Amino acid sequence: MSSDTIQVDIINSALAEFGATRIASLTEDTVERITATDIFAEVRDRLLADYSWNFAIKRKSLTPAAEQTPTSITYSGTTATVNLTAHGYSADMFVRIAGANQDPYNGDWLVASASTNSFTYVMDDTPTANASGTLTVEQVPGFEYDYLYTLPSDNLRILELYEPADLKYVIESNYLMCDEDEKIWIKYIKQVTDYTLWPPPARKCLALALAVKMSPKLRGVADVSTRTRLKEDLETELLRASVVNAIEGNPNTPKEMQSLDKGNFSWQTER
């Protein structure tokens, strides 16, 4: 079956839980379809993020934000203008300017304004000339931490950071911030939109989670008993799914107890 067909099946399973009319496609103009598709992505992502589903775990290496080389940096008073084609920065981001022979340009600065090919920031002092030297610019946290790493676009929740060991970090916006400037290895819960990859227990849980959200909209908020039953059924199915999830493969071993040269969960082999 295709992913779309499975999504329709999941929605129909949810609708059947409280006696609503089934849908035939993801494009039909019915209140049932519109209600389901309006909340589907939100319910799906929350269900994925709240639990450590094996099918949604992904491993990836991250590298710090890349340095870029400006064409030039000019000044007008204390305002510096960095000319850099398609730099990707926006106002209120922090950037680190380095390599200028004139000290006022160097440091971590808040981007004041940005266009496609240039941005500005305000220096503490007025330089005496346009910047010269081996100029570099990179995005940084701005304070508290020195480096930032862009998280994967499909990330819903970081499960574990494997290397470097004992790294202090925080997650803010779509970034991991820390004081390391080397490659970092992570395990995370990814957004899974291909429903052929969802095992049956997870599909059942998704259908029930949808039913919990849809029933007040289609049956009315006064039908408290139906929603209560659906919530109880969801808890039962989540418990059942967690048992199946737990017995797939060998049990996880904490990385501080893992062998460096053997074992299914050796961090040496996760690359």
Side-chain angles (χ1 to χ4, degrees):
M1 286 193 293
S2 69
S3 180
D4 283 354
T5 299
I6 294 172
Q7 185 177 358
V8 169
D9 286 347
I10 291 171
I11 292 171
N12 281 331
S13 179
L15 293 168
E17 289 289 341
F18 55 94
T21 303
R22 293 168 59 89
I23 67 170
S25 75
L26 296 173
T27 57
E28 66 181 52
D29 188 20
T30 61
V31 66
E32 289 81 11
R33 193 281 302 170
I34 293 169
T35 301
T37 55
D38 278 354
I39 65 171
F40 194 93
E42 176 191 350
V43 174
R44 176 201 65 211
D45 289 352
R46 182 168 181 176
L47 183 68
L48 286 170
D50 283 349
Y51 302 92
S52 300
W53 303 97
N54 292 337
F55 76 93
I57 295 176
K58 189 173 181 179
R59 302 174 185 227
K60 192 175 181 67
S61 62
L62 307 178
T63 53
E67 286 186 351
Q68 301 189 71
T69 303
T71 304
S72 64
I73 305 180
T74 60
Y75 77 100
S76 175
T78 57
T79 299
T81 299
V82 181
N83 297 297
L84 177 59
T85 302
H87 51 77
Y89 305 132
S90 59
D92 295 330
M93 283 185 175
F94 283 94
V95 294
R96 177 170 297 149
I97 305 293
N101 294 329
Q102 299 79 13
D103 284 341
Y105 291 102
N106 296 322
D108 292 357
W109 309 103
L110 184 69
V111 174
S113 64
S115 61
T116 302
N117 298 318
S118 67
F119 65 89
T120 66
Y121 64 91
V122 179
M123 300 172 284
D124 293 332
D125 301 302
T126 302
T128 56
N130 291 334
S132 61
T134 306
L135 305 174
T136 62
V137 56
E138 64 179 306
Q139 188 180 355
V140 293
F143 53 91
E144 188 177 2
Y145 295 96
D146 289 329
Y147 300 96
L148 60 76
Y149 298 71
T150 301
L151 294 173
S153 60
D154 60 352
N155 171 65
L156 293 176
R157 177 167 63 90
I158 299 295
L159 281 179
E160 190 168 5
L161 190 148
Y162 263 67
E163 187 186 352
D166 303 321
L167 177 67
K168 179 185 177 184
Y169 69 95
V170 296
I171 304 296
E172 295 180 9
S173 299
N174 195 41
Y175 300 105
L176 183 151
M177 301 181 182
C178 65
D179 291 326
E180 292 288 338
D181 63 347
E182 58 186 77
K183 188 176 289 187
I184 288 176
W185 298 89
I186 63 169
K187 285 171 65 176
Y188 68 97
I189 296 293
K190 66 179 180 178
Q191 185 183 65
V192 184
T193 58
D194 179 354
Y195 303 107
T196 65
L197 302 178
W198 283 62
R203 294 181 197 175
K204 180 64 175 178
C205 291
L206 179 53
L208 284 166
L210 277 171
V212 169
K213 290 291 186 180
M214 287 194 296
S215 63
K217 300 176 185 294
L218 297 177
R219 289 284 294 270
V221 293
D223 190 0
V224 177
S225 60
T226 296
R227 196 156 189 255
T228 300
R229 173 183 60 80
L230 291 171
K231 287 181 177 180
E232 291 173 351
D233 290 348
L234 175 58
E235 289 300 318
T236 299
E237 288 300 326
L238 283 169
L239 180 59
R240 189 171 298 162
S242 69
V243 171
V244 174
N245 199 71
I247 62 177
E248 290 181 333
N250 296 329
N252 241 327
T253 303
K255 62 177 179 287
E256 63 271 13
M257 298 173 61
Q258 294 172 12
S259 168
L260 300 183
D261 58 1
K262 62 182 179 179
N264 292 338
F265 294 93
S266 170
W267 59 266
Q268 291 282 13
T269 64
E270 288 172 2
R271 309 180 187 187

